[in-house]
Amino acid sequence: MSKQTKPIELYYFPTPNGVKISIMLEELGIPYNVNIINIMKDEQFAPEFLKISPNNKIPAIVDPEGPGGDSISVFESGAILKYLAQKFDKFYPSETRAQVKVDEWLMWQVGGFGPMLGQNHHFALFAKEKIDYAIKRYRDETTRLYGVLDRQLAGKDYICTDFSIADIATIGWANKNEPQAIKIDEFVNVKNWIERMKSRPAVIAGLAVGK
Ligand SMILES: N[C@@H](CCC(=O)N[C@@H](CS)C(=O)NCC(=O)O)C(=O)O
């Protein structure tokens, strides 16, 4: 397994996308530095940051000990989680069928559960103009997605059998169920999984970074 001598540089703001990577780094127990990119102050548009994260979003990392010993930068939370999981051979299975399952649920989170809940949040809580159509559309989609997750977790401790980067990707958003207008008691498997996730010290530490 790889060792990390020099700290990973984490470019971060305490949001459900940011905490995916702080949780991962805490779970790995490797050294890292937190560089706050204050997205409330548009720091994500700074030219220096755009060199690392051309889509002007957190999270991003720079690993000074990348492949071949040279530095590497990675943006997009799913890509960062896979990079770290494969580098340290943790939280990602070695067998192809099991990898496909983790990839499916990682992509499901990055392409669906995160963005749809983000829109729900935005239209219900942040938008100055309250648009009933948009609020209902994203609330309904959020509820549907919690249902999908609930069914996937039936009879399982974790999303894909063993604890994996799919769980790490999903907890930050799933945990924010109240502002999503989700009644978590209606999704018992999700509720129990959230508690299971929050019994892990690294998850608690990762969720607390920068708050
Ligand atoms: N698909 C991206 C989404 C990242 C994302 O939406 N980050 C938000 C904070 S949660 C951000 O940096 N927003 C700043 C902006 O859009 O200008 C990922 O998974 O990394």
Side-chain angles (χ1 to χ4, degrees):
M1 194 178 85
S2 293
K3 276 200 171 152
Q4 192 72 28
T5 310
K6 295 182 194 150
I8 301 248
E9 298 297 329
L10 169 63
Y11 295 85
Y12 173 91
F13 201 59
T15 70
N17 285 313
V19 298
K20 293 174 193 174
I21 312 306
S22 50
I23 291 171
M24 180 66 171
L25 292 165
E26 291 289 335
E27 286 283 355
L28 290 170
I30 57 174
Y32 68 100
N33 291 326
V34 179
N35 302 270
I36 295 284
I37 302 294
N38 190 336
I39 62 172
M40 305 303 200
K41 295 187 178 163
D42 284 348
E43 289 175 5
Q44 72 273 32
F45 297 105
E48 281 309 300
F49 180 62
L50 292 177
K51 285 184 197 159
I52 299 167
S53 186
N55 194 35
N56 64 260
K57 290 184 192 288
I58 63 90
I61 62 165
V62 173
D63 178 2
E65 297 167 349
D70 295 331
S71 173
I72 187 171
S73 65
V74 192
F75 74 98
E76 278 294 325
S77 61
I80 301 169
L81 288 173
K82 273 196 81 168
Y83 170 75
L84 291 171
Q86 289 176 319
K87 176 172 181 180
F88 294 100
D89 199 13
K90 292 283 282 279
F91 316 130
Y92 189 68
S94 52
E95 194 268 319
T96 307
R97 280 180 190 277
Q99 286 179 346
V100 168
K101 290 288 145 212
V102 173
D103 286 348
E104 284 175 340
W105 287 95
L106 181 64
M107 301 305 156
W108 173 85
Q109 192 292 317
V110 173
F113 195 69
M116 295 301 113
L117 272 61
Q119 296 300 325
N120 180 358
H121 234 155
H122 177 81
F123 283 108
L125 302 178
F126 298 131
K128 290 199 180 93
E129 186 192 347
K130 297 290 177 233
I131 305 165
D132 290 344
Y133 175 83
I135 293 171
K136 181 172 177 341
R137 176 180 168 85
Y138 291 111
R139 285 226 161 131
D140 288 352
E141 179 63 357
T142 296
T143 305
R144 188 190 70 80
L145 288 163
Y146 269 81
V148 172
L149 182 59
D150 202 63
R151 287 193 292 281
Q152 176 63 13
L153 283 164
K156 288 203 211 66
D157 282 350
Y158 296 107
I159 295 175
C160 302
T161 314
D162 294 329
F163 177 76
S164 75
I165 52 175
D167 299 285
I168 294 174
T170 308
I171 183 62
W173 279 109
N175 189 38
K176 276 191 169 272
N177 45 73
E178 264 185 49
Q180 302 292 341
I182 285 290
K183 295 190 187 85
I184 198 65
D185 287 336
E186 292 174 7
F187 301 96
V188 173
N189 299 322
V190 179
K191 183 181 177 181
N192 292 341
W193 167 81
I194 291 173
E195 291 314 312
R196 199 171 301 120
M197 290 292 287
K198 287 165 82 176
S199 70
R200 299 178 72 95
V203 170
I204 295 298
L207 287 170
V209 168
K211 292 206 171 128

